[in-house]
Amino acid sequence: MSDTPVSEAAAPRSLAKLLAGKAPARAAGAAITVATAGGVVALVLLVAIGYALDQAVLIPPLAASAALVFAAPALPLAQPRSVIGGQLISAVVGFVVLAVAGRSLWSAAVAGGLAIGAMALARTPHSPAAATSVIVVLTQPATVTFLVLLLLATLVLVGVGILAGRSGKTPRYPTYWW
């Protein structure tokens, strides 16, 4: 530590510099607009599909998936392989844990952890999908119906993401498919 006293004026600037740190620059306004509109359109479509089918299609992890697809489209976690594969793998893990251990908070926690490992093994990392396995254990949905609707929902997210990525205002999506 230095024996040189820090002036009172320098201390706030240092704190401001420290807090400003390494955060990425704000995206251009047009990119934020396209990302926001894409997210709204995709999630509203999931609600509309749910109403049409009289089924819940929008589940919370899909909103988190939309955040990745529209706000961070270049990340590996946002690519179709990870969005679709990660969600489906995690749901299957949830159904397996539900069959073996039943419905409880303990088994839901185990399902979430196992989903992380299963996605890593399959090279489909998608953090929101771990929550999908927890939802499966806690809500006990009909297996085939849930998996079909989850596949449909992830295809909608990816499809709208592709359209947003063709706007010229955001990074092109996807950067790779599989």
Side-chain angles (χ1 to χ4, degrees):
M1 182 159 210
S2 171
D3 291 334
T4 308
V6 176
S7 72
E8 290 180 28
R13 273 187 289 191
S14 298
L15 180 59
K17 186 176 180 181
L18 177 69
L19 292 176
K22 298 177 183 178
R26 183 184 328 268
I32 293 171
T33 300
V34 170
T36 302
V40 168
V41 166
L43 296 174
V44 167
L45 275 172
L46 296 185
V47 172
I49 291 166
Y51 272 106
L53 299 175
D54 198 29
Q55 295 282 330
V57 177
L58 175 62
I59 57 173
L62 293 173
S65 294
L68 288 170
V69 168
F70 297 102
L75 287 180
L77 297 174
Q79 301 312 304
R81 173 187 178 95
S82 292
V83 174
I84 298 165
Q87 285 286 0
L88 291 174
I89 288 167
S90 294
V92 168
V93 167
F95 283 115
V96 169
V97 170
L98 181 61
V100 170
R103 180 179 177 247
S104 75
L105 291 175
W106 299 104
S107 56
V110 169
L114 290 175
I116 294 167
M119 287 185 287
L121 286 172
R123 298 182 310 123
T124 59
H126 188 67
S127 49
T132 299
S133 64
V134 171
I135 287 173
V136 165
V137 171
L138 294 179
T139 64
Q140 300 176 298
T143 307
V144 173
T145 301
F146 186 86
L147 291 173
V148 168
L149 291 175
L150 184 62
L151 174 61
L152 175 62
T154 58
L155 291 172
V156 167
L157 292 179
V158 168
V160 176
I162 291 168
L163 293 175
R166 300 305 185 266
S167 69
K169 305 295 181 189
T170 63
R172 192 150 172 94
Y173 178 82
T175 58
Y176 60 89
W177 280 94
W178 211 250

